[in-house]
Amino acid sequence: MTVDLAVVGAVALDEIHSQAGDIDQALGGSAVYASLSASLLARAAPISVIGDDFDQSLLQPLIDRGVNLRGIEHAAGPNFRWGCRYSPDGDVRQTLYTHAGVYDTHPIVVAEPIRHARYVLLTAGNPEQNHRAIEQMVEPELVAIDTIEREVAERREEFRAQLRYADIVSINTLEAGHLIQWPGDEDDPQLPEAAWSEIRSLGPSVFILKRASQGVEIFEGDRRTAVSAVPNIRATDPTGAGDTFISALLSAVSRGCDLIQGAVWGCATASFAIEQFGILGILSATPEAVAARTALITIDGVPVSTHFPPTR
């Protein structure tokens, strides 16, 4: 099976607390959200490691979506587990714990069919695992990196070193501040341009600044484009929104969209991910439903005039 997008990241068991309720031991992890999101348009394959305490029946939603699971290895030891609590508006997340388990201790080996994926997404996690994975890929056309605050704050130099692999890096304002050791507030209007100046010197040709409920800003050369979020979406559980966004963007690009169109598709897809707990929101999405929501998005304040991208 040909793979369009290989996703390096964790297959996790999540504990999530928000104003809308609580869940525990739910299927999650960046590789899961990203693969499910991409599968709406593209052939996706997660590259990950699961522990012997992981119930493999939890993977059935990925199987149902046609996700290629040959890149998920099994190892003796505890699975990746993560817990968080959200602020009432969903824009601020407090990480309660991260227990990486076998995802950190068992070196990733990329299965042969997946090594030839056209696009690669390196998600939040162990930079060493990302390095091992990208070294095994065979001349991908495009590599994107998405991250999480812990990775940038605690392993800043390793994260910066990863950027030499990347064509696209997608991070939020807090992470951008950590990355460049910004002395001011994360809301400082000068931060985005300062971050882009440093990021482009490290390798990426595109910087995507995630602004939660405000959407994203895309920096490419001297061009800066604002793509709004879908309005009036209740953020029941924002977990996985960033993974959903960037993988949806890449899947749209794989179907012929340009970067800005891909970002619109990514924001529309992410709106489904945050509406329900865990992966239930993204599982409720269809290409047709996502396409309808693209019409609610603006580009630099101007409403999107057409639905895209083409379905597979």
Side-chain angles (χ1 to χ4, degrees):
M1 172 186 172
T2 303
V3 173
D4 298 310
L5 176 63
V7 181
V8 183
V11 174
L13 296 170
D14 286 352
E15 176 186 349
I16 299 167
H17 304 276
S18 81
Q19 287 295 102
D22 312 276
I23 56 173
D24 195 9
Q25 303 300 302
L27 176 64
S30 55
V32 170
Y33 282 97
S35 296
L36 288 172
S37 171
S39 70
L40 289 171
L41 293 180
R43 293 160 294 196
I47 299 172
S48 193
V49 184
I50 58 175
D52 52 16
D53 58 344
F54 183 89
D55 179 359
Q56 294 186 47
S57 68
L58 291 174
L59 297 175
Q60 191 61 46
L62 285 88
I63 296 171
D64 294 342
R65 276 280 182 87
V67 173
N68 183 336
L69 300 185
R70 293 187 63 179
I72 298 180
E73 296 189 279
H74 306 79
N79 199 76
F80 192 108
R81 294 173 185 266
W82 177 79
C84 77
R85 186 181 307 278
Y86 286 99
S87 63
D89 63 4
D91 275 0
V92 179
R93 177 174 64 204
Q94 174 194 6
T95 297
L96 303 176
Y97 58 84
T98 302
H99 304 313
V102 295
Y103 187 73
D104 269 11
T105 59
H106 185 82
I108 278 179
V109 177
V110 182
E112 177 57 33
I114 300 172
R115 292 182 183 183
H116 298 270
R118 295 173 58 204
Y119 300 155
V120 180
L121 172 60
L122 305 177
T123 69
N126 186 334
E128 294 173 5
Q129 294 287 53
N130 283 346
H131 175 78
R132 292 186 183 107
I134 200 66
E135 288 289 297
Q136 297 174 63
M137 303 304 296
V138 180
E139 298 182 351
E141 295 176 24
L142 185 150
V143 177
I145 291 181
D146 188 69
T147 191
I148 196 168
E149 180 189 356
R150 177 179 64 94
E151 182 181 13
V152 183
E154 297 178 8
R155 308 183 71 165
R156 175 177 175 272
E157 290 306 317
E158 292 172 271
F159 178 75
R160 287 169 63 90
Q162 284 187 91
L163 295 183
R164 71 182 186 273
Y165 308 129
D167 302 289
I168 299 173
V169 61
S170 173
I171 60 180
N172 65 29
T173 52
L174 180 60
E175 294 155 1
H178 286 311
L179 181 68
I180 67 171
Q181 296 184 322
W182 184 248
D185 188 270
E186 66 182 271
D187 295 324
D188 189 327
Q190 297 182 47
L191 171 58
E193 290 289 353
W196 174 221
S197 177
E198 187 157 342
I199 285 169
R200 70 196 303 185
S201 74
L202 296 172
S205 56
V206 175
F207 165 41
I208 300 176
L209 184 64
K210 297 179 290 187
R211 292 186 174 277
S213 59
Q214 298 176 49
V216 300
E217 283 189 279
I218 300 171
F219 296 77
E220 185 178 17
D222 295 329
R223 181 184 181 189
R224 180 175 179 174
T225 306
V227 178
S228 76
V230 177
N232 303 318
I233 299 294
R234 182 186 179 192
T236 297
D237 175 15
T239 305
D243 305 306
T244 298
F245 163 77
I246 189 62
S247 60
L249 181 156
L250 294 172
S251 72
V253 171
S254 79
R255 290 294 174 263
C257 288
D258 63 29
L259 181 66
I260 304 305
Q261 290 175 324
V264 171
W265 184 262
C267 287
T269 307
S271 73
F272 286 89
I274 68 175
E275 285 186 308
Q276 299 183 53
F277 273 123
I279 63 172
L280 294 178
I282 194 62
L283 288 178
S284 72
T286 65
E288 296 75 20
V290 175
R293 286 194 182 180
T294 64
L296 304 176
I297 290 173
T298 63
I299 300 173
D300 289 334
V302 178
V304 173
S305 59
T306 58
H307 292 175
F308 49 76
T311 56
R312 59 180 176 182

